[in-house]
Amino acid sequence: EQQEEDVLRELRLFLRNITERLSLDRRFKAFTKPVDIEEVPDYILVIKKPMDLSTLLTNIDESKYVTVGKFMSDADLIWRNALEYNPDSDPMDRHIRHRAYALKDTIRAIIRDELDEEFERVCEEIRESR
Ligand SMILES: CC(=O)c1csc(NC(=O)C2C[NH2+]C2)n1
């Protein structure tokens, strides 16, 4: 009912705010757009489910996330994919892995500091009721 739509609207605002802040952080430039298949043709051979910050934003706008947990699963794909695609010891791989770990830690710190656990519980109730 209307109260549920109010909660889901507040969730979208919360998730959009986080995603936009991450997109503005220069450390995460490589994660802002889908990897270009022309430039990196082997990427989708290695990475089964590509994800990036602009796709997260589109998913939010399309009401794909009813809980913060579902958003976190896709957000975690961004840095997990980067670790998987860049495993080597060469400096470029190490560089992008450091940024992947920085993204992981930044997402978790924001959620820990800014997500009200009661709000997430209400979102879980809505998910279970659907
Ligand atoms: C988004 C992402 O994970 C990404 C974009 S380019 C890249 N890696 C390289 O360009 C080479 C360094 N060793 C492969 N990783």
Side-chain angles (χ1 to χ4, degrees):
E1 75 275 14
Q2 195 42 46
Q3 286 80 344
E4 287 194 0
E5 286 318 307
D6 293 344
V7 169
L8 296 180
R9 185 180 314 108
E10 185 172 348
L11 175 66
R12 287 194 298 274
L13 288 170
F14 175 67
L15 298 180
R16 220 177 263 119
N17 175 268
I18 295 175
T19 306
E20 282 165 358
R21 283 152 62 186
L22 295 171
S23 306
L24 293 173
D25 188 320
R26 295 208 324 270
R27 293 176 296 170
F28 307 138
K29 181 102 177 67
F31 307 128
T32 53
K33 296 286 180 207
V35 171
D36 185 329
I37 302 306
E38 272 81 58
E39 280 167 36
V40 192
D42 73 324
Y43 189 79
I44 47 167
L45 302 179
V46 176
I47 298 302
K48 295 295 154 266
K49 191 183 175 199
M51 186 49 63
D52 68 281
L53 293 168
S54 70
T55 303
L56 268 192
L57 216 44
T58 301
N59 289 348
I60 294 165
D61 293 345
E62 293 173 353
S63 296
K64 184 180 172 202
Y65 306 120
V66 180
T67 65
V68 176
K70 295 290 291 171
F71 167 83
M72 287 283 286
S73 305
D74 277 358
D76 284 348
L77 269 177
I78 299 172
W79 58 264
R80 290 183 196 284
N81 289 344
L83 297 182
E84 189 180 342
Y85 186 69
N86 297 282
D88 303 334
S89 61
D90 85 67
M92 256 300 282
D93 281 42
R94 286 181 196 274
H95 187 61
I96 203 144
R97 285 204 301 276
H98 296 324
R99 292 180 160 177
Y101 282 115
L103 179 63
K104 173 190 180 199
D105 293 341
T106 304
I107 293 171
R108 264 155 188 70
I110 292 176
I111 297 293
R112 185 202 57 221
D113 293 349
E114 301 179 27
L115 172 64
D116 179 323
E117 57 193 38
E118 182 49 37
F119 179 79
E120 175 62 0
R121 258 197 296 280
V122 170
C123 294
E124 298 285 355
E125 291 297 312
I126 294 172
R127 181 178 54 78
E128 281 150 20
S129 76
R130 297 197 164 186

